[in-house]
Amino acid sequence: MVNQIVVRIAAERIISGGLNPKTGQTYVIDDITNQEYRVAVKDYILTTTEGV
């Protein structure tokens, strides 16, 4: 079970080009190693981004 707050934070960092707190580099979807969270973040991005 994924935490939707964590999903929202990760997705918004990816969308806005925010930094990954672990690496200090731009946060990208490939930084998410947990498959369930990766899918949840992708779904969140697709549902909240206009024109996709």
Side-chain angles (χ1 to χ4, degrees), residues 10-45:
E12 289 178 2
R13 282 188 182 166
I14 291 169
I15 292 169
S16 69
L19 295 180
N20 181 337
K22 288 176 89 176
T23 64
Q25 297 179 356
T26 303
Y27 203 41
V28 293
I29 195 79
D30 290 335
D31 291 340
I32 303 172
T33 57
N34 182 299
Q35 190 62 30
E36 290 180 39
Y37 275 93
R38 185 182 296 210
V39 169
V41 169
K42 284 181 182 179
D43 290 344
Y44 182 91
I45 291 171

Side-chain angles (χ1 to χ4, degrees), residues 45-52:
I45 291 171
L46 289 173
T47 57
T48 59
T49 305
E50 293 182 24
V52 175

